[in-house]
């Protein structure tokens, strides 16, 4: 670049400079003075020729005083000075764009304020550099999510206020507060505590049902008093979860949107296995296909065990009442790119170290453990993630060097995306916490 071109396209005017003495009447044909929030800049008209659609570029086409005031807030004829009552810090980025055509987002500036400044000065968001544009779009997506939640909350409150004060309307309002807003009052807190209590009982009951004695009784087709008690407890818990699901379904304004929620799908998947198990048990008792022997019953038993194992999904229901689990889900949704990078790093490293170790161990140590490259993939996974089961161990010194390299590479590759994921987690936690505080304040 030519020396001084950047300075000539826009110049900062220091406060001690006397414009009336240094500014000549003929200069207004070549220069204008822009005053943004008390900070003055001297711009040649040629700088604005490249940006005719911006707010500053439109000044050149103004023919009278009224046209000028439609663009700026005030105008001084003596100095040809245009006043703008805007943020001077944000205008620095606009000025840099006018000088060299590069638009950057300052870290200390709010993304919403920056968007308002771009709209005011008539500059498109596509002019942002790629490094700043990614951060800007991420911030705007987060703001959009927050605004959607706020709009839904305000809409629910306004519709609740405009509903006719009938007994049905009041009951639906109280029901919605009880099942969706634990902080709304005593009924909501009691309902949330009962939900968490039954989830805990279900997890404990599922753990007890896998004891060896109970498994032997199940295989023999017997049912002791302990087995019967476990069935009664499970039935009570499922009855509560079914009632809770029905209450949430009744109070939902949009039934289709309610059924599409992730937590609702988890509820359905967790509740259905109990009823399917009852149906299979009742239809399979005393029934046996004559041509299949015991194969049919073995398959039925396998299906029942798989369905009973799905009951552990009840634990995911704690996300309704746990801010930490909600933060975890939001972070996982926002960090899909980081998780993809982590998986990509691991796949590349695994594809590099597994064949290398296979060749070394089979040529130098004649190992019987590393029988194939796919088997080495398993070794590379548990080694790079620092799990180290010890079921496959290199014997030769070069193989141990490769193992050490894979361990160090795994530590470094897994540490790279963790920082970004941690910042996203902390930011998501603060957002959900502030949202919860706003709901409680309302």
């Amino acid at each position: 670049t030519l020396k001084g071109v950047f300075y000539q396209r826009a110049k900062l005017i220091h406060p001690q400079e006397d414009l009336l003495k240094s500014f000549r009447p003929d200069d207004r044909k070549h220069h204008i003075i822009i005053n943004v929030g008390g900070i003055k800049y001297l711009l040649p008209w040629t700088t604005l020729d490249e940006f005719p659609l911006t707010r500053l570029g439109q000044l050149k086409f103004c023919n009278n005083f009224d046209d000028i005031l439609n663009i700026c807030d005030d105008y001084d004829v003596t100095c040809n000075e245009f006043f703008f009552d805007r943020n001077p810090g944000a205008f620095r980025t606009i000025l840099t764009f006018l000088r060299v055509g590069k638009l950057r987002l300052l870290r200390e500036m709010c993304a919403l304020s920056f968007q308002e400044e771009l709209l005011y000065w008539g500059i498109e968001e596509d002019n942002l550099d790629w490094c700043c544009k990614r951060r800007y779009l991420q911030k705007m997506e987060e703001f959009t999510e927050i605004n959607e939640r706020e709009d839904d909350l305000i809409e629910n409150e306004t519709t609740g206020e405009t509903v006719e004060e009938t007994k049905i309307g009041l009951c639906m309002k109280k029901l919605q507060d009880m099942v969706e807003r634990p902080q709304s009052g005593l009924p909501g807190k009691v309902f949330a505590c009962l939900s968490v209590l039954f989830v805990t009982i279900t997890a404990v009951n599922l753990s007890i049902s896998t004891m060896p004695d109970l498994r032997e009784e199940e295989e023999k087709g017997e049912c002791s008093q302990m087995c019967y008690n476990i069935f009664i407890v499970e039935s009570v818990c499922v009855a509560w979860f079914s009632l809770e699901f029905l209450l949430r379904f009744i109070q939902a304004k949009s039934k289709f949107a309610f059924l599409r929620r992730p937590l609702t799908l988890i509820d359905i998947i967790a509740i259905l296995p109990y009823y399917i198990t009852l149906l299979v048990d009742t239809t399979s008792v005393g029934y046996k296909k004559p041509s299949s022997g015991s194969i049919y019953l073995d398959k039925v038993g396998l299906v029942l065990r798989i369905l009973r194992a799905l009951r552990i999904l009840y634990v995911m229901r704690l996300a309704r009442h746990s801010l930490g689990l909600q933060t975890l889900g939001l972070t996982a949704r926002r960090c899909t790119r980081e998780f993809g990078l982590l998986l990509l790093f691991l796949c590349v490293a695994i594809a590099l170290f597994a064949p290398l170790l296979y060749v070394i161990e089979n040529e130098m140590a004649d190992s019987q453990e590393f029988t194939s490259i796919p088997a080495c993939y398993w070794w590379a996974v548990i080694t790079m993630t620092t799990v180290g089961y010890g079921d496959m161990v290199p014997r030769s010194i070069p193989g141990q060097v490769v193992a050490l390299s894979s361990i160090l590479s795994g530590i470094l590759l897994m540490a790279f995306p963790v920082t970004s994921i941690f910042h996203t987690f902390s930011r998501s936690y603060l957002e959900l916490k502030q949202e919860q505080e706003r709901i409680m304040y309302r």
Side-chain angles (χ1 to χ4, degrees):
T1 57
L2 298 177
K3 185 180 294 185
V5 172
F6 184 83
Y7 175 78
Q8 293 172 4
R9 290 180 66 87
K11 172 186 175 183
L12 175 66
I13 300 176
H14 297 285
Q16 60 269 21
E17 293 186 28
D18 191 357
L19 294 178
L20 294 177
K21 294 182 179 179
S22 60
F23 193 82
R24 293 173 295 180
D26 295 338
D27 290 342
R28 71 180 59 201
K29 298 179 181 179
H30 305 286
H31 298 83
I32 61 172
I33 297 174
I34 303 297
N35 189 331
V36 181
I39 300 178
K40 302 178 183 180
Y41 301 92
L42 183 66
L43 275 75
W45 283 112
T46 55
T47 301
L48 303 178
D49 289 341
E50 300 178 8
F51 310 97
L53 299 180
T54 62
R55 181 174 289 267
L56 293 178
Q58 295 175 8
L59 292 175
K60 192 171 183 179
F61 304 101
C62 296
N63 298 320
N64 51 53
F65 192 75
D66 293 333
D67 293 341
I68 293 176
L69 291 183
N70 289 331
I71 296 176
C72 63
D73 296 313
D74 202 358
Y75 174 62
D76 188 357
V77 181
T78 58
C79 299
N80 199 29
E81 182 176 356
F82 300 88
F83 296 90
F84 294 89
D85 189 14
R86 304 297 296 183
N87 185 1
F91 185 72
R92 285 187 297 158
T93 60
I94 307 300
L95 189 65
T96 303
F97 176 70
L98 297 177
R99 282 172 165 174
V100 294
K102 293 184 178 296
L103 187 60
R104 303 286 172 80
L105 173 63
L106 299 178
R107 288 189 176 274
E108 64 271 13
M109 185 180 299
C110 174
L112 286 178
S113 300
F114 186 70
Q115 184 187 42
E116 294 176 358
E117 294 296 325
L118 292 180
L119 292 175
Y120 178 80
W121 295 107
I123 298 176
E124 296 182 356
E125 300 174 357
D126 295 336
N127 294 315
L128 274 168
D129 288 353
W130 67 269
C131 56
C132 298
K133 190 174 183 178
R134 177 185 173 186
R135 189 170 75 251
Y136 171 79
L137 293 177
Q138 184 179 4
K139 291 285 186 182
M140 296 308 299
E141 288 177 359
E142 294 175 2
F143 287 135
T144 303
E145 291 179 2
I146 295 174
N147 291 333
E148 288 178 354
R149 294 174 189 159
E150 290 287 337
D151 293 340
D152 292 340
L153 184 61
I154 294 174
E155 182 180 357
N156 292 334
E157 291 179 353
T158 53
T159 53
E161 292 175 358
T162 55
V163 169
E164 186 180 357
E165 296 296 332
T166 61
K167 292 183 178 181
I168 297 178
L170 291 175
C171 290
M172 294 298 293
K173 182 67 171 59
K174 291 181 180 179
L175 179 61
Q176 183 181 12
D177 291 339
M178 183 181 70
V179 300
E180 296 292 345
R181 299 168 187 159
Q183 67 277 1
S184 60
L186 183 60
K189 294 179 181 179
V190 172
F191 187 84
C193 292
L194 286 176
S195 181
V196 174
L197 178 62
F198 278 106
V199 169
T200 307
I201 293 174
T202 301
V204 175
N205 194 53
L206 178 62
S207 302
I208 295 175
S209 64
T210 58
M211 299 296 289
D213 297 338
L214 297 175
R215 291 293 301 275
E216 292 178 1
E217 293 178 1
E218 181 182 355
E219 293 176 359
K220 294 178 182 179
E222 301 175 355
C223 184
S224 62
Q225 184 63 33
M226 184 68 176
C227 177
Y228 181 75
N229 294 335
I230 290 176
F231 176 75
I232 294 300
V233 172
E234 181 184 359
S235 301
V236 173
C237 293
V238 173
W240 166 261
F241 295 139
S242 303
L243 176 63
E244 182 180 352
F245 178 81
L246 290 176
L247 292 177
R248 293 184 186 277
F249 181 78
I250 291 172
Q251 62 83 30
K253 293 183 175 66
S254 176
K255 311 300 182 185
F256 183 71
F258 171 77
L259 294 175
R260 289 177 57 189
R261 293 178 185 174
L263 290 177
T264 304
L265 296 177
I266 291 175
D267 289 344
I268 295 174
I269 296 174
I271 293 173
L272 280 181
Y274 174 81
Y275 297 104
I276 296 176
T277 303
L278 284 181
L279 181 62
V280 173
D281 284 338
T282 54
T283 55
S284 62
V285 171
Y287 176 75
K288 184 177 179 181
K289 285 190 177 181
S291 62
S292 60
S294 62
I295 297 177
Y296 174 74
L297 293 181
D298 292 339
K299 292 181 179 179
V300 171
L302 178 61
V303 171
L304 292 179
R305 286 193 292 271
I306 294 174
L307 292 176
R308 287 170 184 169
L310 290 177
R311 289 177 296 177
I312 199 60
L313 292 176
Y314 283 122
V315 178
M316 299 299 295
R317 294 169 55 87
L318 294 175
R320 295 185 183 275
H321 314 289
S322 174
L323 185 62
L325 291 177
Q326 294 176 9
T327 306
L328 181 62
L330 184 59
T331 304
R333 193 174 66 206
R334 290 179 174 177
C335 293
T336 53
R337 186 180 290 108
E338 285 77 7
F339 287 129
L341 286 176
L342 180 60
L343 184 61
L344 176 63
F345 294 160
L346 287 177
C347 290
V348 171
I350 290 169
L352 174 65
F353 287 111
L356 185 61
L357 187 71
Y358 171 75
V359 173
I360 291 175
E361 287 298 306
N362 280 272
E363 292 294 333
M364 296 186 177
D366 195 16
S367 175
Q368 301 298 324
E369 299 174 352
F370 301 91
T371 56
S372 63
I373 291 181
C376 294
Y377 286 158
W378 169 250
W379 170 86
V381 170
I382 64 176
T383 302
M384 296 192 66
T385 54
T386 66
V387 176
Y389 289 136
D391 53 349
M392 301 171 65
V393 181
R395 306 298 179 182
S396 63
I397 294 179
Q400 293 174 356
V401 173
V402 172
L404 178 62
S405 302
S406 64
I407 293 172
L408 296 178
S409 301
I411 294 174
L412 292 176
L413 293 178
M414 294 188 68
F416 289 153
V418 166
T419 305
S420 176
I421 295 173
F422 170 74
H423 287 301
T424 305
F425 180 85
S426 59
R427 187 171 64 251
S428 302
Y429 178 77
L430 289 177
E431 289 179 6
L432 292 177
K433 190 175 182 180
Q434 292 173 358
E435 180 183 356
Q436 193 177 61
E437 291 175 353
R438 287 196 297 268
I439 294 174
M440 293 179 66
Y441 177 74
R442 283 195 177 95

